[in-house]
Amino acid sequence: MDFKDSDKPSPEASAWLSKLGPGLITGAADDDPSGIATYSQAGAQFGFNLLWTLLLTYPLMVAIQVISAHIGRVTGRGLATNLQRFAPRQLVWLIVGLLLVANVINIAADIAAMGDAMVLVAPGKAHYYAVGFGVLSMLLQVCVPYQRYVNLLKWLTLVLLAYVATVFVVRVPWAEVLRSLVWPQPQWHKEYLTTVVAVFGTTISPYLFFWQASQEVEELRADADAQPLRRAPDQVQAQFRRIRFDTLVGMAVSNLVAFFIMLTTAATLHAHGVNDLQSSAQAASALKPIAGELAFVLFAAGIVGTGLLAIPVLAGSAAYAMAGTFHWKSSLDNKFSAARKFYAIIIVSTLAGIGINFVPLDPIKALYWSAVLNGVIAVPVMVIMMAVASSPKIMGALKISGRLRALGWLCTGVMAVAVLAMFGASLIS
């Protein structure tokens, strides 16, 4: 075998890589600059004392995202369309409206973070970089066909390796980390509980449910031989295996990277008395004198890369949700003229996100509370999702299994308890 042959991926490796798609992109997009800010603040403020949240959320994330994917693949329709088949239309409108608001705030914060991160490593003005990144993301979504664009997003997931690498250039007291994981010390006060909800709301976000379900529909449309699984029983086992593998890997990537971000800021910033961060770019700057130039550059570069990955998911999930609610044509494979309203939501939400950076509104405070808002919105969305996924009328014989149903309801219950605990702590304090 010559060198060229040995350089080629094996058929087995190619087959495994081909199974990665909606779940991988969804999981990677979860670690956007706004998520980085939330995880960084959690690590800086509470040290290793919130690492347990990322172990808890992994199986819950997997379950709820698999359920989202099943709904899309089984029915051939997005999440918003299916929610309306079970819940009052006005409730779905309210949920989608709140989702749109939260996503626009997230886009604004992500764009601002990308601009701030760029000026840390290159000359220029943050606002100019922010506008450039926002417009670039918008044009890519509108102008590039789905299959080419989704392949670009897959490659962008590699930027998350920056946060894995950062851990290896800082000193980590692993014994203390292990103690915090095995025996966490919860703190029953407002700030701690609100941060828990913010972490949960950032990690288990409604926009991810809508995105993954819609991406399964997009994959379905892109394959001439594929059909909604209700009409193609011969495809069920293969597609369910692919969805499970894709989601397990995607959510593992998401939580592992979030874990490393929280671990890095806890081992450096918290350990040196830096307990209050206002942005992900500030976290990168604070790392420089403590952890060195390499950790600083890796952290800052990761912010830009994850933003380019996340903005399309935020804008796209809002567009899919609005299109499903009002029965518009919706596909990133359609030309603009064939899906004007769908693309209009992408354009308007991205431009609104850019615009927020030029008005006297603190995007960082808005971001933090948008994460909390996501946690609150997630509860009714998951309740309706569970009803849809368990309904023979909608899912036919492919309603979710008992084990998946139990995990899905557990995820819903954990989110509900976290939100109630936060509000309870607010009333007491």
Side-chain angles (χ1 to χ4, degrees):
M1 180 182 291
D2 62 23
F3 181 75
K4 285 188 176 180
D5 286 339
S6 64
D7 237 17
K8 294 177 182 178
S10 67
E12 293 83 0
S14 297
W16 279 61
L17 289 172
S18 69
K19 293 178 181 179
L20 299 176
L24 176 64
I25 294 169
T26 301
D30 196 23
D31 294 317
D32 65 331
S34 62
I36 293 166
T38 302
Y39 301 134
S40 298
Q41 175 60 29
Q45 188 172 4
F46 298 106
F48 305 123
N49 208 21
L50 279 174
L51 289 174
W52 63 268
T53 58
L54 298 170
L55 296 184
L56 175 62
T57 54
Y58 175 66
L60 305 182
M61 280 182 76
V62 170
I64 207 70
Q65 291 300 145
V66 165
I67 290 168
S68 304
H70 277 203
I71 291 172
R73 195 75 186 199
V74 169
T75 66
R77 297 181 179 182
L79 194 54
T81 303
N82 279 297
L83 294 185
Q84 285 191 101
R85 298 172 69 185
F86 207 93
R89 184 175 299 177
Q90 290 80 1
L91 176 59
V92 177
W93 289 357
L94 175 63
I95 288 170
V96 170
L98 292 173
L99 175 76
L100 181 60
V101 171
N103 282 14
V104 168
I105 294 171
N106 266 325
I107 290 170
D110 285 354
I111 288 172
M114 293 162 73
D116 290 341
M118 274 301 295
V119 298
L120 294 177
V121 295
K125 292 188 176 181
H127 278 331
Y128 293 162
Y129 284 125
V131 171
F133 286 133
V135 171
L136 173 64
S137 176
M138 180 181 69
L139 290 176
L140 286 172
Q141 288 183 87
V142 174
C143 301
V144 179
Y146 172 74
Q147 285 300 326
R148 288 171 59 192
Y149 190 57
V150 81
N151 285 332
L152 173 63
L153 293 180
K154 281 186 185 181
W155 280 108
L156 272 174
T157 61
L158 294 175
V159 302
L160 295 175
L161 293 174
Y163 293 107
V164 178
T166 305
V167 172
F168 296 101
V169 296
V170 301
R171 182 180 175 278
V172 177
W174 291 107
E176 188 179 344
V177 171
L178 185 59
R179 276 197 306 272
S180 297
L181 289 172
V182 174
W183 194 257
Q185 302 293 319
Q187 300 172 22
W188 304 105
H189 55 74
K190 177 184 175 182
E191 290 76 15
Y192 184 86
L193 293 173
T194 301
T195 304
V196 170
V197 176
V199 170
F200 279 32
T202 299
T203 308
I204 303 175
S205 296
Y207 77 89
L208 301 175
F209 312 158
F210 286 92
W211 174 262
Q212 189 161 351
S214 297
Q215 291 309 286
E216 287 296 335
V217 178
E218 290 277 22
E219 294 284 327
L220 189 63
R221 291 170 178 165
D223 185 351
D225 296 324
Q227 296 184 60
L229 296 182
R230 281 199 64 168
R231 300 202 299 266
D234 58 309
Q235 298 176 12
V236 169
Q237 292 302 318
Q239 290 302 325
F240 278 6
R241 280 196 300 269
R242 178 194 58 79
I243 288 170
R244 184 168 59 250
F245 174 75
D246 184 24
T247 308
L248 282 166
V249 172
M251 299 310 116
V253 168
S254 172
N255 274 35
L256 191 62
V257 170
F259 184 91
F260 283 145
I261 293 169
M262 199 182 294
L263 180 64
T264 300
T265 52
T268 54
L269 306 185
H270 179 80
H272 287 78
V274 181
N275 304 127
D276 186 25
L277 298 174
Q278 298 301 314
S279 70
S280 51
Q282 186 185 346
S285 294
L287 275 175
K288 190 173 184 178
I290 297 170
E293 183 75 23
L294 181 57
F296 157 71
V297 171
L298 288 171
F299 208 95
I303 292 168
V304 175
T306 57
L308 289 172
L309 176 63
I311 291 171
V313 177
L314 286 159
S317 63
Y320 283 122
M322 290 290 287
T325 300
F326 299 106
H327 307 291
W328 303 335
K329 287 185 178 180
S330 59
S331 174
L332 289 170
D333 225 17
N334 284 341
K335 293 183 178 179
F336 181 85
S337 58
R340 293 178 187 272
K341 294 177 181 178
F342 170 74
Y343 283 116
I345 298 297
I346 291 175
I347 293 169
V348 169
S349 59
T350 306
L351 292 178
I354 295 171
I356 287 174
N357 287 280
F358 293 89
V359 299
L361 174 69
D362 185 343
I364 303 307
K365 287 186 178 178
L367 160 69
Y368 186 81
W369 288 105
S370 76
V372 175
L373 178 62
N374 273 326
V376 175
I377 297 171
V379 177
V381 172
M382 288 191 288
V383 168
I384 304 170
M385 277 177 54
M386 292 305 300
V388 168
S390 303
S391 169
K393 180 180 178 182
I394 297 175
M395 302 289 284
L398 300 176
K399 64 181 184 178
I400 56 174
S401 66
R403 183 173 61 178
L404 196 53
R405 189 181 305 118
L407 275 173
W409 279 117
L410 177 60
C411 183
T412 307
V414 167
M415 288 295 291
V417 168
V419 171
L420 289 173
M422 179 195 68
F423 285 127
S426 299
L427 293 174
I428 293 170
S429 61

